[in-house]
Amino acid sequence: MSTAGQVIRCKAAVAWESGKPLSIEEVEVAPPQKDEVRIKILFTSLCHTDVYFWDAKGQNPLFPRILGHEAGGIVESVGEGVTDLKLGDHVLPIFTGECKECPHCLSEESNMCDLLRINTDRVGMINDGKSRFSINGKPIYHFLGTSTFSEYTVVHVGQVAKINPHAPLDKVCVLSCGMSTGFGATVNVAKPKKGQSVAIFGLGAVGLAAAEGARVSGASRIIGIDLNPSRFEQANKFGVTDFVNPKDYNKPVQEVIVEMTGGGVDRSVECTGSIQAMISAFECVHDGWGVAVLVGVPNKDDAFKTHPVNLLNEKTLKGTFFGNYKPRSDIPAVVEKYMNKELELDKFITHTVPFSEINKAFELMLAGEGLRCVIRMDT
Ligand code: NAD
Ligand code: ZN
């Protein structure tokens, strides 16, 4: 029986207030409006960005909210004007969009769509500013336009990548944020040349995907920096050749890296969200040609401080969302890379839990244990 055009009642994990465990509730999900699609989420995984907006220590507290942005699912119904997606399509919802019409979407260089670029404070849909989720008539906020911690969600068509229906959604769901973000930050933005050295700050899933990007680019040396020593064991499998724990030294880690590389690394990619690590990632690159790429999401009040002479000395500072990929145009081909065994994803998925145990995924991330935890919606 078709549910198109009707309100769907289903389970969602609602964050009622900052830092409190999510609670599984029955929510009502309104039908998709103009340029929107409703998606049945099958698998979703937890990214550190969800945790920042859940504990809301360094971000605006916006509750009650349905978090979640790394996921895979199947289109249940489409709203008015949607022509390139249909019922049954396999899709990845993406936290930053692509309208295909604005100057950014028409530019080869940018993925910062004017209409659909990441907006962490938006709590409703673009069409009417309202939420499609409610409990007893009370609206529940959206997050990043994706809100994947729900059995059904409504997403703007510009934030949906249609992928190969044979791709296993329990694996490729991690391409909808973390793995594409880290891998793309290296191959699309830092662009190391064969034989160069690359420093990766933060060896969580995003950082190790960045390391994977360095490995396939032919980097000669991949230096992993993390405060959590347990990260170093698994990082071997991702091609990381050297490990530095800033806690082991009584001088700034950028100085340690400059010394161990005889002048600095050729490229660095920061995947921590720590402002201190961002500054170190910039200052540890070689003068004359070094490029640093920031990926971590900072606190809302952070400020980046460095001496301008670092820039005069021709160190380049960049940053990127989603590894500079355009979600609709580029992600289907990244999924094909996985299908053709040119990209490994399985090793990033260290835990799986049923939806009823979603809070366990938060506990694991807060403890710095494992990489991605995939949450199965069907149980
Ligand atoms: P994670 O928690 O799994 O990994 C982060 C790692 O950084 C941890 O191992 C932690 O020990 C380490 N770390 C923290 N502070 C550090 C410091 N000062 N020095 C060295 N290491 C430090 O998180 P994740 O899911 O891999 O995400 C990493 C970051 O990327 C987060 O900030 C997340 O919000 C951000 N992110 C950005 C984008 C984007 O498009 N720019 C997309 C996804 C995630
Ligand atoms: Zn993410």
Side-chain angles (χ1 to χ4, degrees), residues 16-328:
W16 288 102
E17 49 182 314
S18 55
K20 294 277 160 61
L22 306 186
S23 95
I24 307 272
E25 309 274 356
E26 187 170 282
V27 298
E28 299 195 329
V29 185
Q33 297 187 3
K34 186 172 183 305
D35 295 331
E36 295 172 358
V37 299
R38 192 161 55 185
I39 301 169
K40 181 174 172 44
I41 298 293
L42 296 182
F43 299 95
T44 183
S45 40
L46 183 67
C47 166
H48 212 123
T49 309
D50 297 304
V51 178
Y52 295 149
F53 286 84
W54 164 76
D55 78 14
K57 287 187 186 129
Q59 309 296 344
N60 285 335
L62 294 165
F63 300 98
R65 208 170 197 187
I66 298 175
L67 298 165
H69 64 281
E70 203 175 88
I74 296 178
V75 173
E76 173 270 337
S77 63
V78 305
E80 182 198 329
V82 175
T83 52
D84 53 356
L85 286 172
K86 59 177 189 319
L87 178 125
D89 282 344
H90 286 221
V91 294
L92 304 182
I94 315 271
F95 67 87
T96 193
E98 179 185 359
C99 73
K100 296 196 173 180
E101 285 166 15
C102 74
H104 288 274
C105 288
L106 297 176
S107 154
E108 267 181 32
E109 293 177 302
S110 174
N111 72 342
M112 298 299 296
C113 174
D114 275 334
L115 183 69
L116 296 164
R117 69 172 61 175
I118 180 172
N119 180 342
T120 58
D121 289 336
R122 190 192 295 132
V123 295
M125 297 303 289
I126 286 179
N127 199 31
D128 60 355
K130 296 206 175 107
S131 177
R132 303 285 172 269
F133 298 108
S134 59
I135 297 180
N136 299 327
K138 184 180 172 349
I140 309 293
Y141 292 154
H142 290 249
F143 177 61
L144 301 183
T146 52
S147 292
T148 59
F149 295 163
S150 176
E151 291 175 318
Y152 287 86
T153 189
V154 176
V155 181
H156 192 287
V157 65
Q159 286 185 244
V160 181
K162 179 177 165 176
I163 62 162
N164 183 341
H166 300 295
L169 287 169
D170 59 334
K171 303 291 189 306
V172 298
C173 62
V174 298
L175 284 173
S176 99
C177 177
M179 274 58 273
S180 301
T181 293
F183 191 79
T186 303
V187 302
N188 298 334
V189 188
K191 295 185 182 157
K193 299 188 174 86
K194 203 169 185 321
Q196 286 194 321
S197 57
V198 181
I200 307 289
F201 285 74
L203 302 176
V206 177
L208 290 173
E212 194 76 350
R215 190 180 62 77
V216 305
S217 302
S220 57
R221 198 171 177 190
I222 305 174
I223 304 172
I225 301 104
D226 204 297
L227 300 171
N228 174 357
S230 75
R231 290 299 195 201
F232 300 143
E233 295 151 27
Q234 63 211 358
N236 274 318
K237 282 187 262 163
F238 296 81
V240 178
T241 56
D242 299 62
F243 299 96
V244 177
N245 187 335
K247 286 188 195 155
D248 294 343
Y249 300 87
N250 52 16
K251 58 184 164 191
V253 67
Q254 53 270 48
E255 286 178 24
V256 176
I257 294 168
V258 167
E259 276 166 27
M260 66 191 270
T261 53
V265 284
D266 300 306
R267 301 288 186 265
S268 76
V269 185
E270 176 279 327
C271 306
T272 68
S274 147
I275 186 65
Q276 199 46 58
M278 293 180 195
I279 294 166
S280 302
F282 172 56
E283 294 185 351
C284 79
V285 299
H286 207 288
D287 53 11
W289 61 78
V291 178
V293 178
L294 307 187
V295 173
V297 173
N299 283 350
K300 64 179 165 48
D301 300 323
D302 279 339
F304 189 97
K305 186 168 175 288
T306 192
H307 199 285
V309 87
N310 287 317
L311 292 147
L312 301 184
N313 284 342
E314 307 255 353
K315 297 184 182 200
T316 299
L317 178 61
K318 295 185 170 196
T320 176
F321 280 113
F322 201 49
N324 207 236
Y325 286 116
K326 285 179 162 64
R328 298 162 87 184

